[in-house]
């Protein structure tokens, strides 16, 4: 079945530094990938839609200059959290699906980001 | 805005049947999905409905009524390992999903 790989699974960084998270679709091509964020005991909130070869689409309230998204190929999207602050500590999850409306979104294993 | 409602918590005992309801009011609709999520892990896909009616997959079934903006997930023969959060999600235009806040199910022996 479709598999999405996300790396790293866990990262601790200091305030002010940047962190890059990679998301790969392993056995299908994904022109679109999605980045979600989940705070403890809350649901997944869509942050942005990553589009291969074009700019990402950000949801309202998500700072595009802080959360940089690059979708350089049909199998790779990256999310860079720039100048991280403790309030950015969260669980970040990427997802993608094969090009079919009845295909479910498949999720990566998520990245637990802790900013100290 | 988009609104997806489901109960916050539910409890049940092993071997029982539990129904988790979800109501939605969204600007579009291209299908409703149910996911299971264990603490600290990514969601895993359970079921999908785009047409009205019941979809059955083993111990899990999901129902959809588009006219009522309503779905439920039915879990039969509950096991301890079914203790998790269950997320109802609606696909709008495109392929992104909008999630409800999730229902935490606790199964006891």
């Amino acid at each position: 079945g479709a598999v999405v790989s996300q790396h790293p699974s866990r990262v601790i960084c200091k305030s002010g530094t940047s962190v890059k998270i990679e998301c790969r679709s392993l056995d299908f091509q994904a022109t679109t990938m999605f980045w979600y964020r989940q705070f403890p005991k809350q649901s997944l909130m869509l942050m942005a839609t990553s589009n291969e070869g074009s700019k990402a689409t950000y949801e309202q309230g998500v700072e595009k200059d802080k959360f940089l998204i690059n979708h350089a190929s049909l199998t790779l999207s990256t999310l860079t959290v720039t100048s991280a602050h403790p309030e950015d500590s969260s669980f970040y999850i990427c997802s993608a699906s094969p090009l079919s409306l009845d295909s479910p979104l498949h999720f990566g294993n998520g990245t637990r980001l802790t900013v100290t | 805005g988009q609104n997806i409602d489901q109960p916050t918590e539910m409890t049940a005992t092993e071997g029982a049947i539990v129904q988790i309801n979800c109501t939605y009011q969204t600007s579009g609709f291209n299908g409703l999905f149910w996911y299971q999520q264990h603490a600290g892990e990514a969601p895993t896909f359970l079921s999908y409905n785009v047409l009205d009616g019941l979809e059955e997959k083993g111990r899990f079934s999901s129902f959809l009524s588009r006219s009522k903006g309503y779905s439920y997930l039915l879990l039969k023969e509950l096991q301890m390992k079914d203790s998790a959060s269950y997320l109802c999600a609606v696909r709008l235009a495109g392929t992104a999903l909008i999630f409800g806040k999730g229902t935490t199910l606790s199964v006891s022996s």
Side-chain angles (χ1 to χ4, degrees):
Chain A
V3 177
V4 175
S5 172
Q6 186 173 342
H7 178 80
S9 59
R10 190 179 295 269
V11 60
I12 300 172
C13 71
K14 292 186 177 179
S15 204
T17 61
S18 295
V19 173
K20 180 186 282 189
I21 303 169
E22 291 189 350
C23 179
R24 296 179 185 274
S25 57
L26 296 184
D27 56 359
F28 64 96
Q29 293 183 331
T31 56
T32 305
M33 292 185 177
F34 304 96
W35 289 95
Y36 289 84
R37 179 169 54 184
Q38 187 175 35
F39 291 106
K41 298 190 183 297
Q42 296 188 26
S43 192
L44 284 79
M45 297 299 297
L46 180 64
M47 297 176 66
T49 300
S50 172
N51 303 300
E52 188 268 335
S54 65
K55 291 182 179 180
T57 306
Y58 291 82
E59 296 299 304
Q60 192 172 9
V62 178
E63 300 176 58
K64 64 178 181 180
D65 294 330
K66 180 170 185 61
F67 299 98
L68 301 180
I69 292 173
N70 186 303
H71 195 150
S73 77
L74 287 172
T75 59
L76 174 64
S77 174
T78 61
L79 169 69
T80 302
V81 183
T82 63
S83 187
H85 291 285
E87 57 264 32
D88 297 324
S89 298
S90 187
F91 191 48
Y92 293 86
I93 312 176
C94 72
S95 64
S97 72
L99 289 176
S100 169
L101 277 181
D102 61 356
S103 295
L105 274 186
H106 296 276
F107 288 86
N109 286 331
T111 298
R112 174 74 58 192
L113 171 64
T114 303
V115 185
T116 61
Chain B
Q2 320 297 346
N3 197 37
I4 301 174
D5 287 322
Q6 47 183 134
T8 305
E9 294 181 339
M10 297 185 72
T11 58
T13 54
E14 267 188 306
I17 300 173
V18 71
Q19 177 174 312
I20 302 174
N21 296 323
C22 172
T23 57
Y24 63 91
Q25 292 176 308
T26 56
S27 58
F29 182 84
N30 276 319
L32 188 141
F33 295 78
W34 285 95
Y35 283 82
Q36 181 191 63
Q37 186 180 27
H38 286 99
E41 299 180 9
T44 54
F45 169 72
L46 289 179
S47 71
Y48 163 73
N49 296 72
V50 67
L51 300 176
D52 291 352
L54 188 68
E55 293 286 338
E56 298 187 78
K57 289 178 70 174
R59 293 191 300 117
F60 299 91
S61 304
S62 58
F63 171 83
L64 174 68
S65 169
R66 288 172 297 170
S67 62
K68 295 181 179 178
Y70 168 69
S71 174
Y72 68 71
L73 178 69
L74 193 70
L75 295 80
K76 304 175 186 175
E77 301 170 15
L78 280 175
Q79 303 173 11
M80 298 290 286
K81 67 178 182 178
D82 296 328
S83 293
S85 286
Y86 291 86
L87 308 176
C88 172
V90 173
R91 170 172 279 162
L92 305 179
T95 53
L97 297 184
I98 304 299
F99 285 84
K101 292 185 177 179
T103 299
T104 300
L105 174 65
S106 299
V107 181
S108 59
S109 57

